[in-house]
Amino acid sequence: MTSTRPFEPKNGFVKWFDRQLPLFSVMHGALVAYPTPKNLNYWWSFGSLAGLMLGVQIITGIILAMHYTPHTAMAFASVEHIMRDVNYGWLLRYVHANGASFFFIVVYIHIFRGLYYGSYKAPRELLWMLGLVIYLLMMATAFMGYVLPWGQMSFWGATVITNLFGAIPFVGEDIRTLLWGGFSVDNPTLNRFFSLHYLLPFVIAGVAILHIWALHIPGSNNPLGIDVKGPQDQIDFHPYHTAKDAFMVSLLLLIFFAVVCFAPNYMGHPDNYIQADPLVTPPHIVPEWYYLPFYAILRSIPDKLMGVVAMFAAILILFALPWLDKSKVRSGTFRPIFKQFFWVLVIDVIALGFVGANPPEGAWLIIGRVATAYYFFHFLILLPVLSRVEKTRPLPESISQAVLAKHA
Amino acid sequence: MSTTDSTSEHHGEGVKRRDFLFIAAGGFGAVGAATVVWPLVDNLNPSADVLALSSIEVDISKVQVGQSIRVKWRGKPVFIRHRTDEEVAKAKAVDIKELKDPQTDADRTKPGHEAWLVMVGVCTHLGCIPLGEQGEFGGWFCPCHGSEYDTSGRIRKGPAPLNLEVPEYAFLNDTRVRIG
């Protein structure tokens, strides 16, 4: 996409610098003159919000690492040291711990927005897949971060998740030993998790740059899902979206700090305030909320290997989505049946979340199995069939025509 | 006249509202940024557990005349020397006018405990630890850049600008000292 406003710096230093390294013109093209469809709604702010949360996590994380000790004998105490002794340590840690949750909230909304408006479809398949790579990296990073405080949930969560790899035929045991650096989750595990937990956010940042790059080639999708036809369909990123995003940032920070200040442990688990004990497992092992739907899928299948396969497949299936949903119409607004099933999927995933939080018995087990079956049905059967048979509503001729008609 | 008035008035009104919004939003943002930055900086200051260790008590009953001990205080060595009469006399005999950092021996000791010299054993030049009972003034000698201190720990020769620092300390009784 070429920018509508050329970059013409007045400052002599900027001119000199930009001639040798066009950093300023690239930033100008990406953050100021980037042309966006003029009909983007607030759901399109969640990409910026995700970027903000990544920044918050990296900054607070670097500082927490200055006060934290990655050793089984000292990790738990060093976290308490952060909470009690370090100036504003409680704030930094609560922002970091809840920041992970809010990062996931923002990213889940971002993903579902893409699902509803067909943002994964051509010409944005690679953009979608890069986003999924970020999501997988986030899951790995958050998991390893949760191990660091070395509480009971850290230890047993790490034990359960690493044991998943033991389900792989033939090499499972060896992979598990390799992950552990021993015969159980112990000091070598904690050390390598700390190292990787520090590394992966920078990998996420790198993939996020590719994600934005891949976004700026075709330009943003929009609520109508139709292509931009010309400058009359577009507005510049600045000041229109910077202002809109700033409003959403204020809203996010308001809710975020309400949680950080008034319910900082709401999304945590009290058992993680007990130091890790390799000889006692807590009665209810529950992963962090953002893994619950996948945890439910894992437990709904009564076979160790197949459960693990289903869990990973639930995420990997999203990589094939651009080819499973063949409908030429992107936006769910013009797909009457798809739109209804989109909300069924939303309810299904939330239901899986509740199933994951509860013990796998009685009704929960049945709900979990039905919800798991629906999840795969939705992507593997419903979408391919629906995209052939569904009669879509007529698309507007252009974005500006639709926008003007709405306000006529 | 009336034309310029109405133009400037009209212009002034338009600018006023925008200016107010910009300054209000900018000011609010600046306050917000400062409240974010302060915890990010202040957490690097000494934490409560570090501050809690900032004073120590030392038993000096076993230190004989002519002996020194070294204790660790705030991560640094503190020299506690039970000086000989000869050393005290030598320190008192110095004319302070010829000193780089003028201080009498009495300024550097506690009344009634003149034999005891308590000071931070860190060279005031670049932070090395000087060696005891060495150098031409019979005090301390820093091996890093050759600064020499006398029997009162005052700088006499070499690149160091100041005397060895006397920390805040007090004799709790004849055999116990609290440093810090």
Side-chain angles (χ1 to χ4, degrees), chain A residues 11-215:
Chain A
N11 184 304
F13 171 77
V14 175
K15 272 186 198 163
W16 168 82
F17 190 99
D18 207 66
R19 217 166 30 242
Q20 305 194 0
L21 178 66
L23 188 66
F24 289 100
S25 38
V26 166
M27 295 311 278
H28 178 86
L31 296 171
V32 178
Y34 171 60
T36 56
K38 58 161 68 160
N39 59 335
L40 296 189
N41 56 31
Y42 277 115
W43 300 113
W44 261 264
S45 287
F46 283 83
S48 301
L49 298 185
L52 171 77
M53 289 318 297
L54 177 62
V56 167
Q57 291 304 87
I58 288 180
I59 291 169
T60 52
I62 286 172
I63 287 176
L64 286 171
M66 294 177 188
H67 303 288
Y68 168 79
T69 312
H71 188 279
T72 51
M74 289 175 276
F76 188 84
S78 77
V79 171
E80 285 310 304
H81 158 74
I82 289 169
M83 294 301 288
R84 293 154 197 255
D85 295 338
V86 174
N87 304 322
Y88 295 103
W90 59 272
L91 179 64
L92 292 163
R93 175 164 173 265
Y94 279 152
V95 165
H96 195 73
N98 288 288
S101 280
F102 273 78
F103 196 3
F104 274 100
I105 291 172
V106 165
V107 161
Y108 278 131
I109 293 173
H110 191 59
I111 292 174
F112 275 106
R113 189 269 288 154
L115 286 172
Y116 183 82
Y117 291 112
S119 300
Y120 47 85
K121 290 185 188 180
R124 298 184 184 84
E125 305 96 308
L126 195 59
L127 171 63
W128 170 256
M129 291 192 283
L130 285 167
L132 290 174
V133 169
I134 293 175
Y135 175 54
L136 286 172
L137 287 168
M138 278 174 67
M139 300 242 268
T141 309
F143 160 64
M144 288 188 278
Y146 195 55
V147 176
L148 304 184
W150 209 242
Q152 275 289 67
M153 280 292 163
S154 302
F155 183 87
W156 293 101
T159 301
V160 169
I161 301 293
T162 47
N163 267 312
L164 291 179
F165 293 89
I168 301 167
F170 311 116
V171 290
E173 297 265 321
D174 295 328
I175 289 177
R176 204 175 51 182
T177 308
L178 195 74
L179 287 173
W180 285 343
F183 306 104
S184 65
V185 174
D186 209 334
N187 198 46
T189 327
L190 179 61
N191 269 286
R192 64 194 57 184
F193 278 16
F194 178 61
S195 170
L196 292 172
H197 182 73
Y198 206 118
L199 167 73
L200 289 184
F202 297 98
V203 179
I204 292 177
V207 183
I209 289 169
L210 295 181
H211 187 69
I212 295 167
W213 190 3
L215 168 70

Side-chain angles (χ1 to χ4, degrees), chain A residues 332-351:
Chain A
T333 312
F334 302 102
R335 302 180 64 189
I337 308 173
F338 169 88
K339 185 156 65 173
Q340 289 171 25
F341 279 103
F342 167 81
W343 289 109
V344 175
L345 178 71
V346 172
I347 294 164
D348 186 67
V349 171
I350 293 171

